[in-house]
Amino acid sequence: MNGPSPLSLNEHFAIPGQLTFVARAGGLPLAELRTPDATAQVALQGAQVLAFHPQGSAPVLFLSRRAIYAPATAIRGGIPLCWPWFGPHPTDPTKPQHGFVRTAAWSVLASGLREDGAVWLRLELTDSPTTRALWPYPFRLTLTVTVSRALRVELEVHNPGDAPLACTEALHTYYHVGSVTATAVQGLEGVAYADKVDDGRRKYQAGPVTVAGETDRVYLDAPPACVIDDAQLQRRIHVTTAGSHSTVIWNPWVEKGRQMRDFGADEYAHMLCVEVGNALDNQVVVAPGDTHQLLLTTWVEPVA
Ligand code: TA6
């Protein structure tokens, strides 16, 4: 395991009964956050939220039972961070899909309690010779996870350099749903999207988004909120954002699901990615000295 040990992290950042660091299978350090309203887990590798479980509700995030926990390996589920490019690298197919920060070793910057009892954890990643070999720019990222009845995830991108940083990004959230064929996403009606299962053709969304096959869409200039109507689990999962102009909807369905070694053959039926970020035409440019924020707040509303 690279980086500080859970023991050292607990000495500096633990909050008794509310924030502790443990070593997960594969030796990956995890932060466990706990409040009376919800619990969450965050892997320091990739600053990746792996679980968010409100009290009395089914888990909100999907995490594959076949996920691989190993250094420099993407973990299938939770909220992988896609940065500084979303999807394949724009020009070099040998570079990692979705950028390089989701497999990097982030460091713990701070932790604390909000006045309302929410617990938060802030992680940091800065450029290095390894990152500059993939992307020749200085940067400083922070990722702040705040747990209450809602989950709040904020990615801050600071540009300390003297050249503009052009990047695409996403909080690639895997939601757990009772049955994806009994699920609909409301709030994207009439929004233009690139249909990645139809050669990227531009289309307009008619009605709620439903899934009956492989679905991979980038909604552009999307509104800052949508709702996942999870009928089988009798709940609506609210997805709200700031700093995001794209919403991505993805389900691999049967065939693509089978092709992923870190994904169970039946798991497509119980997950749906609803991702906030800035992709394709919604590229972000961070001016020298500026900071860009990408914020996700998500929570569950039981439906009687
Ligand atoms: O967000 C949807 C997507 O871009 C899909 O095209 C699919 O590639 C998915 O991300 C998962 O990517 P990954 O590299 O994590 O397997």
Side-chain angles (χ1 to χ4, degrees), residues 76 86 97-98 102 172 174 196 216 248 250 260 275:
R76 181 72 61 191
F86 175 81
Q97 159 108 322
H98 290 323
R102 66 173 172 168
H172 193 297
Y174 287 72
K196 290 170 64 178
D216 195 349
V248 180
W250 178 61
M260 297 189 292
E275 311 158 31

Side-chain angles (χ1 to χ4, degrees), residues 74-77 80 82 86-88 96-98 102 170 172-174 196-197 214-218 248-252 256 260 262 273-275:
I75 301 170
R76 181 72 61 191
C82 305
F86 175 81
Q97 159 108 322
H98 290 323
R102 66 173 172 168
H172 193 297
T173 310
Y174 287 72
K196 290 170 64 178
V197 298
E214 183 185 355
T215 305
D216 195 349
R217 303 176 182 178
V218 181
V248 180
I249 306 283
W250 178 61
N251 182 284
K256 277 285 171 60
M260 297 189 292
D262 58 351
C273 282
V274 178
E275 311 158 31

Side-chain angles (χ1 to χ4, degrees), residues 4-155:
S5 69
L7 181 64
S8 164
L9 290 167
N10 282 320
E11 282 172 2
H12 293 90
F13 301 107
I15 302 172
Q18 296 207 252
L19 172 58
T20 51
F21 295 86
V22 298
R24 166 116 200 186
L28 294 186
L30 282 189
E32 295 187 335
L33 295 82
R34 179 177 304 279
T35 76
D37 294 322
T39 60
Q41 275 194 341
V42 182
L44 269 56
Q45 175 172 286
Q48 185 168 343
V49 180
L50 298 183
F52 173 56
H53 196 163
Q55 186 68 30
S57 165
V60 175
L61 302 182
F62 164 85
L63 187 62
S64 175
R65 65 173 181 271
R66 300 189 61 177
I68 298 168
Y69 301 94
T73 305
I75 301 170
R76 181 72 61 191
I79 309 179
L81 303 182
C82 305
W83 193 86
W85 59 84
F86 175 81
H89 184 275
T91 58
D92 181 349
T94 67
K95 293 187 173 177
Q97 159 108 322
H98 290 323
F100 49 78
V101 304
R102 66 173 172 168
T103 54
W106 291 56
S107 54
V108 179
L109 196 58
S111 63
L113 293 176
R114 241 177 22 191
E115 285 178 11
D116 63 358
V119 57
W120 57 268
L121 173 67
R122 182 163 297 129
L123 306 175
E124 178 187 54
L125 182 71
T126 54
D127 62 284
S128 66
T130 304
T131 67
R132 285 194 296 275
L134 289 166
W135 197 63
Y137 301 101
F139 63 84
R140 177 174 181 265
L141 303 183
T142 64
L143 194 281
T144 304
V145 181
T146 306
V147 176
S148 60
R149 186 75 195 162
L151 174 68
R152 185 181 190 276
V153 179
E154 181 171 25
L155 176 66

Side-chain angles (χ1 to χ4, degrees), residues 223-282:
C226 65
V227 176
I228 303 168
D229 187 354
D230 179 0
Q232 179 155 5
L233 292 179
Q234 295 183 307
R235 63 183 187 176
R236 287 158 53 86
I237 305 173
H238 292 262
V239 179
T240 66
T241 183
S244 161
H245 299 283
S246 311
T247 299
V248 180
I249 306 283
W250 178 61
N251 182 284
W253 205 246
V254 179
E255 200 41 53
K256 277 285 171 60
R258 284 214 181 102
Q259 291 169 15
M260 297 189 292
R261 66 191 180 113
D262 58 351
F263 193 79
D266 61 339
E267 290 187 317
Y268 77 93
H270 307 291
M271 55 74 66
L272 182 64
C273 282
V274 178
E275 311 158 31
V276 298
N278 292 288
L280 300 179
D281 315 14
N282 291 139

